[in-house]
């Protein structure tokens, strides 16, 4: 497995493969867990060549967020990726990827505005910018993303379509711990008590999904109130709890019945102690 530090070098390597083989990219910020490895396995089923990028992207962190504290476990990550048979790790330094004169940003309006976009201004601009750079540097044919960051996935789909970026984006369902908690690099920050409280997130999402199956009359207001009450009964602090259509990600009005919404999905962001956690679940008949 090669470790590559510059966009020029990864581009050259990828073009060499692309003469005869597809190349898949798994963009990550490192601190890899089973969720990331499921993306790598999907990538390897899609293409014979797999590049994993490891880059903690400063552009997507706000001034009061956890950029400096974000877990960095590069050696351990490389060992895991080597075992999975990854061909190359692309790990540029921030100075290499964003030289001093760097001045461009990609803004994807509408889809970036609600949910995490409201609480993290500039976040999706940072994500879209880094992903466009990763897509172009690696010249990958496929890029694989987890549905835990569902809004990110939709924003990137929009960007790729709007800007005719020659890559196919593939989504992979959320990977959960055996007790239901969605896997996240940030879970390692949770104390035992905070982790216990965090279990209310998947439990309330699943209960909401079950409730929709039982009652066609259920409204957005009724369902979000039940979820909020359940989360508030713990030490979790709610940032948002919204139901949207997957198509526009605009929070739906309280009186709207869930069954009237096209591809309804429930989104939750909370803080457990100092750790921000997000999760989501489809409320539709199909979907995860
Ligand atoms: O989902 C992530 O880990 C990041 O947002 C990504 C896509 C690697 C961009 O920095």
């Amino acid at each position: 497995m090669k470790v590559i530090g510059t966009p020029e070098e990864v581009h050259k390597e990828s073009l060499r493969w692309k003469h005869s083989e597809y190349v898949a990219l798994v963009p990550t910020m490192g601190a890899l867990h089973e969720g990331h490895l499921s993306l790598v396995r999907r990538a390897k089923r899609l293409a014979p060549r797999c590049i994993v990028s490891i880059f903690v992207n400063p552009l997507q962190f706000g001034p009061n967020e956890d950029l400096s504290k974000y877990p960095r476990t590069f050696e351990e990550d490389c060992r895991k990726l080597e075992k999975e048979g990854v061909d190359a790790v692309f790990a540029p330094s921030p100075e290499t990827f964003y030289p001093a004169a760097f001045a461009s940003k990609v803004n994807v309006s509408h889809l970036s505005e609600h949910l995490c976009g409201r609480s993290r201004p500039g976040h999706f601009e940072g994500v879209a910018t880094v992903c466009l750079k990763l897509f172009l540097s690696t010249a990958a044919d496929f890029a694989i993303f987890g549905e835990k960051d569902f809004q990110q996935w939709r924003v990137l789909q929009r960007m790729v379509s709007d800007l005719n970026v020659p890559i196919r984006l593939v989504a992979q369902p959320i990977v959960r711990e055996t007790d239901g908690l969605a896997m996240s690099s940030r879970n390692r920050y949770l104390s035992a008590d905070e982790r216990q409280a965090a279990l209310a997130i998947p439990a309330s999402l699943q209960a909401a999904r079950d409730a929709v199956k039982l009652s066609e009359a259920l409204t957005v207001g009724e369902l979000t109130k039940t979820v909020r009450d359940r989360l508030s009964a713990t030490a979790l602090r709610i940032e948002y709890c919204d139901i949207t259509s997957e198509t526009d990600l605009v929070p739906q009005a309280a009186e709207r019945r869930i069954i009237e919404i096209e591809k309804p999905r429930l989104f939750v962001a909370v803080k457990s102690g100092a750790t921000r956690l997000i999760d989501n679940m489809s409320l539709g008949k199909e979907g995860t």
Side-chain angles (χ1 to χ4, degrees):
M1 186 177 79
K2 287 194 170 182
V3 176
I4 300 176
T6 66
E8 294 77 17
E9 205 187 327
V10 79
H11 196 72
K12 211 164 105 192
E13 188 70 47
S14 180
L15 289 191
R16 218 164 46 81
W17 292 329
K18 277 168 67 94
H19 279 303
S20 55
E21 294 167 313
Y22 283 127
V23 176
L25 167 71
V26 180
T28 81
M29 298 204 298
L32 304 181
H33 49 68
E34 266 305 307
H36 294 112
L37 300 183
S38 85
L39 305 182
V40 170
R41 289 169 200 144
R42 181 79 182 269
K44 287 185 61 74
R45 289 198 296 278
L46 284 164
R49 294 291 182 176
C50 175
I51 302 173
V52 175
S53 62
I54 298 183
F55 181 64
V56 183
N57 173 33
L59 278 193
Q60 69 190 73
F61 288 80
N64 300 318
E65 295 185 10
D66 58 350
L67 172 63
S68 61
K69 285 198 233 114
Y70 197 84
R72 287 160 171 89
T73 57
F74 188 69
E75 306 300 325
E76 198 185 321
D77 292 346
C78 285
R79 277 196 293 278
K80 289 180 182 168
L81 296 175
E82 181 106 58
K83 256 199 202 157
E84 295 294 329
V86 165
D87 296 280
V89 170
F90 176 43
S93 67
E95 299 72 32
T96 311
F97 219 35
Y98 298 126
F102 189 85
S104 305
K105 287 212 181 134
V106 182
N107 178 270
V108 181
S109 55
H110 305 303
L111 286 171
S112 294
E113 277 157 25
H114 300 283
L115 307 171
C116 290
R118 282 191 63 190
S119 37
R120 302 186 72 187
H123 170 70
F124 289 113
E125 211 172 58
V127 169
T129 305
V130 78
C131 285
L132 184 59
K133 275 178 74 69
L134 291 169
F135 297 164
L136 298 175
S137 310
T138 61
D141 301 288
F142 302 94
I144 301 62
F145 292 90
E147 283 188 345
K148 187 169 85 63
D149 296 294
F150 194 89
Q151 188 174 16
Q152 164 173 284
W153 152 248
R154 294 284 297 114
V155 166
L156 295 173
Q157 270 187 316
R158 185 76 264 146
M159 175 188 79
V160 161
S161 165
D162 288 351
L163 303 183
N164 304 101
V165 187
I167 193 164
R168 219 185 99 202
L169 302 190
V170 176
Q172 181 76 352
I174 297 177
V175 179
R176 297 182 179 280
E177 305 282 358
T178 44
D179 57 14
L181 188 66
M183 288 196 185
S184 163
S185 302
R186 290 186 169 100
N187 288 353
R188 67 187 71 202
Y189 296 140
L190 298 170
S191 69
D193 285 349
E194 288 165 356
R195 198 184 177 294
Q196 188 57 35
L199 294 181
I201 308 167
S204 59
L205 293 180
Q206 188 57 54
R209 186 171 156 89
D210 295 342
V212 172
K213 282 189 195 141
L214 291 177
S215 165
E216 298 211 329
L218 208 56
T219 64
V220 167
E222 287 161 350
L223 197 58
T224 49
K225 181 176 182 317
T226 315
V227 175
R228 280 177 176 277
D229 287 349
R230 188 158 182 174
L231 295 174
S232 306
T234 70
L236 300 174
R237 301 181 317 277
I238 303 172
E239 192 180 283
Y240 63 75
C241 167
D242 285 320
I243 294 171
T244 81
S245 163
E246 290 178 12
T247 54
D248 62 7
L249 303 186
V250 178
Q252 296 281 315
E255 59 281 6
R256 190 103 197 266
R257 288 195 303 158
I258 310 288
I259 58 154
E260 290 166 357
I261 303 170
E262 185 194 354
K263 296 192 180 169
R265 187 169 280 266
L266 171 60
F267 294 87
V268 163
V270 301
K271 279 250 178 116
S272 187
T275 307
R276 186 175 183 275
L277 300 170
I278 57 171
D279 202 344
N280 66 82
M281 199 173 275
S282 165
L283 299 176
K285 287 204 176 68
E286 285 132 36
T288 49

